Amino acid sequence: MSHQDLPPKGGYPALQWKRNLPSRGFRPSIYLAIMGGISLLGCIPLTRGIRERREYQREKAWSRLYLLPLLQAEFDRDFVRRSTALEARERELMKDHPDWADNKPIYNDGRARIPSFAVLEGQKKAYFVYSDESVDVKEAAS
């Protein structure tokens, strides 16, 4: 017959089967609370900046509204100067044509129109919309 060993009295000593790692840092909920606090503290200057930018936009819009009459008057003065220069140039060019009438409207519908013009950047000519001609900017300014 075989002889079987029995456990010692009081049992065998406990085996360490579980990992025994020291905890590092705080619980995740504490980290979450810290990140939430930092985010809330960051929102304060953000909202201040948004309000300030909105106020600057409002101020810019009002300043543009207040400048519109001044800009319109400047445009009108420039238009009168350019149109008189163009009429003088036109009179000079067309003085030998008997069928030409001074200040005759281009369109015969009776409506008053303000001819548009554009000075292209980097160019020395002003192009008028109602004609294919171009005028020297310095000549139109005089």
Side-chain angles (χ1 to χ4, degrees):
M1 180 159 162
S2 72
H3 185 286
Q4 185 175 6
D5 288 336
L6 294 173
K9 286 192 177 198
Y12 290 110
L15 292 175
Q16 184 179 353
W17 56 273
K18 185 177 165 185
R19 292 178 68 182
N20 190 10
L21 296 175
S23 64
R24 299 182 61 138
F26 301 111
R27 296 186 316 243
S29 59
I30 293 176
Y31 283 118
L32 184 64
I34 290 172
M35 290 306 294
I38 290 172
S39 296
L40 284 176
L41 287 175
C43 286
I44 293 170
L46 178 69
T47 54
R48 284 184 187 157
I50 290 171
R51 285 182 191 151
E52 188 175 342
R53 186 175 49 212
R54 193 176 298 145
E55 184 61 32
Y56 283 149
Q57 287 173 347
R58 187 179 299 120
E59 183 179 341
K60 188 176 180 181
W62 278 107
S63 65
R64 285 181 179 176
L65 284 173
Y66 290 137
L67 281 177
L68 277 177
L70 177 69
L71 294 175
Q72 185 64 43
E74 187 68 29
F75 173 78
D76 292 342
R77 279 193 295 270
D78 191 44
F79 171 72
V80 168
R81 183 180 53 80
R82 286 176 183 271
S83 61
T84 54
L86 179 67
E87 288 172 6
R89 183 174 181 268
E90 195 174 13
R91 251 186 259 112
E92 180 65 30
L93 287 174
M94 302 300 284
K95 66 183 176 188
D96 297 333
H97 294 275
D99 295 337
W100 180 76
D102 193 14
N103 288 332
K104 181 181 176 190
I106 297 171
Y107 303 105
N108 294 322
D109 59 357
R111 289 174 45 191
R113 288 185 174 82
I114 297 175
S116 299
F117 62 88
V119 177
L120 301 176
E121 289 295 324
Q123 305 252 341
K124 300 288 188 213
K125 305 244 179 225
Y127 293 91
F128 290 86
V129 171
Y130 58 78
S131 70
D132 293 334
E133 299 247 354
S134 63
V135 177
D136 281 340
V137 174
K138 289 183 181 176
E139 181 182 323
S142 61

